Structures are given as structure tokens and as C-alpha cells.
Amino acid sequence: MLYLVGLGLSDETDITVKGLEIVKEASRVYLEAYTSILLVDQSVLESYYGRPIVVADREMVESNSDEILRDAQTEDVAFLVVGDPFGATTHTDLVLRARELSIPVRTVPNASILSGIGATGLQLYNFGQTVSMVFFLENWRPSSFYDRVKENRDVGLHTLLLLDIKVKEQSLENMARGRRVYEPPRYMTVGQCARQMLEVEEERGKGVYGPDSLAIGAARVGGKTEKFVAGTLKQLCDADDALGPPLHSLVLLGRRAHELERDYTREFALDKELWDRIWNSDYGKQ
Amino acid sequence: MLYLVGLGLSDETDITVKGLEIVKEASRVYLEAYTSILLVDQSVLESYYGRPIVVADREMVESNSDEILRDAQTEDVAFLVVGDPFGATTHTDLVLRARELSIPVRTVPNASILSGIGATGLQLYNFGQTVSMVFFLENWRPSSFYDRVKENRDVGLHTLLLLDIKVKEQSLENMARGRRVYEPPRYMTVGQCARQMLEVEEERGKGVYGPDSLAIGAARVGGKTEKFVAGTLKQLCDADDALGPPLHSLVLLGRRAHELERDYTREFALDKELWDRIWNSDYGKQ
């Protein structure tokens, strides 16, 4: 059996009781560690589970999945995923491959940022599609997120933006020379995301949002040090210190917001007066 | 401290290790039991936790929240919610009230149907807003869901429909006579939902979807007996036997679907040939 086990959002105790039992019994335990991270190290997980863990990087999962699935027709293999197992496309691939090999699959769901973001006080019913924001490079500034955000904003819905993480990346030079030397991990911040959003609005110019649009920066959702900062996109460009360490996410508000959402989120506003003023003029419309 | 503890989707072992520790230590334990249900009885939870549970019905949570929050400034109160604590608006109210009373609040996230539905193989990025479908009555057939589905369909996104549950409801007669006699619980099925959808399309006539639109019926997501049935809305009108007992949910597909989604969902199709034919003509367009 292949078990896809969600680990939740924060630390080693966010695994479910069911998930923990599976991890303790499995023949081999893999940890997918390139689409998201927990706020604790692998060693903490290993000592908590009492089991060694093989960290599965993107290359292993995408090109060498048969090693992960080896003998899973008769043995139990646990594949651990931060958040919920179906957050990333990659795992669909792994299940399809398991089906081809006649390996039964079970999923152990867990919290995902897609529902965890409800802790902002924004209603999950008022979110449109979720989008990803990647680190811009000098010659690569993909702006398809802008079209998706526009679709949400056009009908008044909130947008959750999931922010890029880079782990085990090689510099072009090291890649060219075949050196297995990796860059330090990088996690996009709310400030970086807000700046990229405003740059793209400037380029594309459709007025999907602007510096005064309301948004909420979220850090370490579901963890003990969870933190929310509400403000305009312009304010959020400089709110990284207030938010603290990764992981960050950003929600751009939609105008269809409900007054219960206003009452709840106001608590997080950097400048409550400004928040109220913009809210009252532009938000809460059906 | 008020702890909002998510229970996940299926049985007593879907609680997180962190959540279980809180439940075992809390002074009082409440279970919100009117927006969703687990697949096991309250007595199973009580014996698993080793704690008595007070079932909190809608009236208690909405009108008598101060009883739930009593002394939570100094004691720990655990408020258990099936799925993730922020799935329903009601709990936002409870937290706002706690804030007024200077009670600190912590949330323990868990799996929600909003991410659990990823087990269909549909990509969570391709979902628009989530909508609710209520039981129609003779004189009350709210069709605002249709406008929301249209917004999703217009841009090619999937729609998750969460289906009504009725627990501890009184008949009009018993209510009028003040008799505390309750109707047996009712859970909307995929078949009922599909029929109501087609009725409303007939009334509203905007061609948002039709009998040949592709959809997936989901039952007991996250549980051992989880079951998916894929077909046209017309087929799903009669698929309740194949799906089995509650809880059910339904996903109406959007045309922007990806071929990986096709490969994965095809496995669940009632009629693979029909599924392929409609998919190839209407879906997978960007």
C-alpha cells in the first residue's frame, strides 16, 4: 500500500493520530520537501516518529518514483506531504504511476493552507481560485497570475496567493559544471509578493488592483507564532518585519466581503483608520 | 483559552496529535454538530478521548455562546469542529465574542472538504468559489447558487457544492406546539443535488450547465469507504446507490480542466466512453 500522509501546516504534532500510526508501521518513509515546508526540521520529525526519513526532492519524485513505489504491492510505504497530500500536482502523478503498478493507495488528509487561511477571518466561501506567485528573474516575469486574480476580482472574490519557495536549487554555473552544490533555501515574503503584484499592475495596466487595494499578509498559519498583518498592498510591501520568518502567504481582498469579515480582520490592520476608510468606500458591496 | 479544534473528515483517529492533547486536558469539551458530521458516533469520540462531550447545537452556539466561553479566561475550553474550524461562519462569531471577553483563542487546523476534495484528482487550483446547496421546499427554492456556479463556469473553473444537512430539526407542527421532538437527521445526496441543479437550469435557462455536463459525486471523503462516481449530471441523478451512505458532495467540472485531471478522474466514470467523448469535445480548453 502507498499511503499519502498529510502533515498539516506547522510542527510534528500536527500529524493526525491515524497518520502517525501509519508512519510508525511503514516499511519506508519519504518526506516530500520541495513544494512546502514545516516549521520544524527533519530531525525533529525523525525523533518524534522514531523512524528514519528519506527526503524526496523534486527530481526523485518526478523522475524516480519507481524507487519510492518499490515493493509497495506487498509492503507499506508512507509518503509524507506538508499540508494536505493533494495540494500539489506532483502527487497526482505518483498515484497514477501506483495505479499502473497495481499498488493500492490511501490518503490521510490534513490541514491545508487553502482552509487554514480561514484563520484570517475571511470566509472560505468568498475565495475564488488560488494562484501561485513565483520569484521573478531578470528575463522571466510570468504574469499569468494577473489574469487569474482579475477573474476573481471581477466577481468580487478574495484571492489566496501561495508564495514561491526554492529549496535545493543549483546556480546556473554549478549546474553547468555538474557540481552538486546547492543554494541556501529561499522563501518569498509578503513584501516581495506585494511588490511583484504592483509591478505587474503597472505593466499590464488593467486596474485589477492598486497600491490602495486591501490585503492580508499571513505568516506561519496554523503555528504557535501565526501572524496576520492587514493593510494596503503598498503597506504590505514593507510589512515583512512585522510578519517575521517564513512561510508567508497573501490574500488580496475582493469587494464582495461581508461585514463579519471586516469586524474580524480589522484587528490585524496596520492602520485601522485607513483600513476602515478604504473598506467603507470600496468593499462590502454585493 | 478557547481552543477551536478541527476533527478532520472521517473518524476519531483523524484528530491531530496536538488536538488530542488539548481535548484530554481541557476543562470542558464541546462538539459542534450541525454544520457537518463525522462518520462515527459521539460515544466513539467520548470513549476515544476518555472525556464527556457536550453536543453544541446551532441554538447553543448562536444564542448561548457565553455558556461555552464561561471562565475561559482562566480555564481551557475545547470546541470541536468537524473538518477545519473555519469552515463555517458561526465559529467566526464565537471568536469575536471571545475577543470581547478578553479570552485568548487558538485554532488547531485539520483537513477540510475544501482540500480533501483533491482526492478526486481535480486540481485544487482549478476550483472557483465553493457553494452550498440547500434542500428545496415547495415554496422556498433558493437559486443564488446558480449565479455563483455561473461565475465559476464563465472562466472555466470547477465548482465544489457542499450539500445540506438537517439535524435536530423540528416539524412546523412540533415547533408550533412547543414540543421538543426532532425529525430524524437528513443528508442531501448527490442525486438530490444534481436534480435540483437541473431544475434550476430549466427555470433560469442561461445554459450554465446541462444534463450532459460532467461532474463527480463524492461520498465519505477521507474515510476508508471514500467513493467517487464520475458522470454527467443526468447520470449522477441516479448514482446514489453507487455512492452509498452520507456525507456526499458534488463537483461540477469547469472546461479549463487539465489532461492530468482527465487521466485521474476517468477511473471513476460510470461510462468511460461517454466520459471521454464529452471530455474531448467540451473540456480541457484553456
Side-chain angles (χ1 to χ4, degrees):
Chain A
M1 179 88 83
L2 169 67
Y3 287 97
L4 300 175
V5 180
L7 296 187
L9 296 169
S10 163
D11 65 36
E12 70 279 12
T13 64
D14 285 324
I15 194 169
T16 65
V17 175
K18 184 181 287 171
L20 185 58
E21 282 165 9
I22 290 166
V23 171
K24 284 181 182 290
E25 301 289 326
S27 299
R28 300 193 304 282
V29 182
Y30 296 92
L31 171 66
E32 185 272 270
Y34 57 92
T35 60
S36 190
I37 55 154
L38 281 184
L39 306 176
V40 294
D41 288 337
Q42 177 189 349
S43 59
V44 174
L45 295 182
E46 289 184 320
S47 99
Y48 189 74
Y49 302 151
R51 299 295 310 274
I53 292 173
V54 179
V55 171
D57 60 19
R58 187 184 296 274
E59 196 195 329
M60 181 172 196
V61 179
E62 293 184 355
S63 317
N64 199 12
S65 58
D66 283 5
E67 169 53 26
I68 296 172
L69 299 172
R70 178 170 48 84
D71 300 328
Q73 290 88 350
T74 52
E75 294 178 12
D76 288 340
V77 173
F79 184 79
L80 313 184
V81 181
V82 174
D84 186 79
F86 283 102
T89 318
T90 306
H91 315 133
T92 317
D93 267 333
L94 188 65
V95 175
L96 282 172
R97 181 63 186 146
R99 277 193 196 159
E100 285 171 12
L101 299 170
S102 303
I103 296 167
V105 179
R106 269 199 63 200
T107 305
V108 182
N110 207 321
S112 152
I113 184 68
L114 271 67
S115 48
I117 199 67
T120 52
L122 297 173
Q123 298 296 323
L124 297 174
Y125 287 82
N126 288 340
F127 281 77
Q129 59 197 308
T130 302
V131 306
S132 293
M133 177 68 88
V134 300
F135 282 114
F136 285 179
L137 304 175
E138 206 176 328
N139 302 314
W140 193 65
R141 303 161 57 84
S143 66
S144 62
F145 79 87
Y146 184 79
D147 303 301
R148 304 284 94 83
V149 172
K150 181 174 191 307
E151 289 167 351
N152 289 343
R153 292 274 290 179
D154 281 348
V155 293
L157 296 171
H158 308 315
T159 306
L160 169 63
L161 290 105
L162 302 179
L163 310 191
D164 204 1
I165 77 172
K166 294 282 184 204
V167 292
K168 219 178 167 188
E169 298 275 320
Q170 286 175 293
S171 68
L172 285 176
E173 195 191 333
N174 282 327
M175 206 184 292
R177 298 183 180 215
R179 291 193 291 224
R180 291 185 176 257
V181 176
Y182 302 101
E183 304 298 303
R186 288 190 302 148
Y187 308 100
M188 187 184 287
T189 65
V190 160
Q192 290 170 313
C193 176
R195 283 192 292 277
Q196 290 192 175
M197 288 174 75
L198 291 175
E199 282 171 32
V200 169
E201 175 57 58
E202 197 135 305
E203 286 162 28
R204 303 279 296 269
K206 292 187 183 170
V208 172
Y209 50 79
D212 289 336
S213 297
L214 297 184
I216 300 180
R220 301 172 306 285
V221 171
K224 272 184 197 159
T225 62
E226 176 179 83
K227 171 94 183 178
F228 302 113
V229 170
T232 64
L233 275 182
K234 188 154 175 287
Q235 286 179 314
L236 290 187
C237 287
D238 301 310
D240 286 346
D241 286 346
L243 281 162
L247 293 181
H248 288 190
S249 310
L250 186 148
V251 181
L252 182 70
L253 269 65
R255 69 177 188 286
R256 203 190 270 172
H258 187 271
E259 60 183 33
L260 200 61
E261 297 180 284
R262 181 199 57 203
D263 296 348
Y264 200 104
T265 54
R266 188 176 187 276
E267 177 92 1
F268 309 126
L270 287 165
D271 177 341
K272 290 190 170 59
E273 223 173 279
L274 179 66
W275 182 263
D276 288 344
R277 196 163 66 236
I278 298 178
W279 189 291
N280 291 334
S281 99
D282 296 343
Y283 292 81
K285 320 285 190 232
Q286 290 304 314
Chain B
M1 179 89 82
L2 169 68
Y3 287 98
L4 299 175
V5 180
L7 296 187
L9 296 168
S10 165
D11 65 36
E12 71 280 12
T13 64
D14 285 324
I15 195 169
T16 65
V17 175
K18 184 181 287 172
L20 185 59
E21 282 165 11
I22 290 166
V23 171
K24 284 181 182 291
E25 301 289 326
S27 300
R28 300 192 305 283
V29 182
Y30 296 92
L31 171 65
E32 186 272 270
Y34 57 93
T35 59
S36 190
I37 54 153
L38 281 183
L39 307 176
V40 294
D41 289 336
Q42 177 189 350
S43 59
V44 174
L45 295 184
E46 289 184 320
S47 100
Y48 189 74
Y49 302 152
R51 299 295 310 273
I53 292 173
V54 179
V55 171
D57 60 18
R58 188 184 296 272
E59 197 195 328
M60 180 171 197
V61 178
E62 293 184 355
S63 317
N64 198 13
S65 58
D66 284 5
E67 168 54 26
I68 296 172
L69 298 173
R70 178 171 47 85
D71 299 331
Q73 290 88 351
T74 52
E75 293 179 11
D76 288 340
V77 172
F79 184 79
L80 312 184
V81 181
V82 174
D84 185 78
F86 284 102
T89 318
T90 306
H91 315 132
T92 317
D93 267 333
L94 189 65
V95 174
L96 282 173
R97 181 66 186 143
R99 275 193 198 159
E100 285 170 14
L101 299 170
S102 303
I103 295 167
V105 179
R106 268 197 66 198
T107 306
V108 182
N110 206 322
S112 153
I113 184 68
L114 271 67
S115 49
I117 199 66
T120 52
L122 297 173
Q123 298 298 320
L124 297 174
Y125 286 83
N126 288 340
F127 281 75
Q129 60 198 308
T130 301
V131 305
S132 293
M133 177 68 89
V134 300
F135 282 114
F136 284 178
L137 304 175
E138 207 176 325
N139 302 314
W140 192 66
R141 303 161 56 84
S143 67
S144 62
F145 79 87
Y146 185 79
D147 303 301
R148 303 284 95 83
V149 173
K150 182 175 191 303
E151 289 168 350
N152 289 343
R153 292 274 291 179
D154 281 349
V155 293
L157 295 172
H158 308 316
T159 306
L160 169 63
L161 290 104
L162 302 179
L163 311 190
D164 205 1
I165 77 173
K166 293 283 185 203
V167 293
K168 221 181 166 187
E169 297 274 321
Q170 287 175 293
S171 68
L172 285 176
E173 194 190 334
N174 282 327
M175 206 183 292
R177 297 182 181 219
R179 291 194 291 227
R180 290 183 177 257
V181 176
Y182 301 100
E183 304 297 303
R186 289 190 302 149
Y187 308 100
M188 187 183 286
T189 65
V190 159
Q192 290 170 312
C193 176
R195 283 191 292 277
Q196 291 191 174
M197 287 174 75
L198 291 175
E199 282 170 33
V200 169
E201 175 58 57
E202 197 135 304
E203 285 162 30
R204 303 278 298 268
K206 292 188 184 171
V208 173
Y209 49 80
D212 289 337
S213 297
L214 298 184
I216 300 180
R220 302 171 305 285
V221 171
K224 270 183 196 158
T225 62
E226 176 179 84
K227 171 95 181 178
F228 302 112
V229 170
T232 64
L233 274 182
K234 187 154 177 285
Q235 287 179 315
L236 290 187
C237 288
D238 301 309
D240 286 346
D241 286 347
L243 281 162
L247 294 179
H248 288 188
S249 311
L250 187 148
V251 182
L252 182 71
L253 269 64
R255 69 175 190 288
R256 204 190 268 172
H258 188 271
E259 61 182 33
L260 200 61
E261 297 179 286
R262 180 197 59 204
D263 297 347
Y264 200 104
T265 55
R266 187 176 188 277
E267 177 91 2
F268 309 125
L270 288 165
D271 177 342
K272 289 191 171 56
E273 224 173 278
L274 179 66
W275 181 263
D276 288 344
R277 198 163 65 238
I278 298 178
W279 188 293
N280 291 334
S281 99
D282 296 342
Y283 292 81
K285 320 285 191 233
Q286 291 303 313

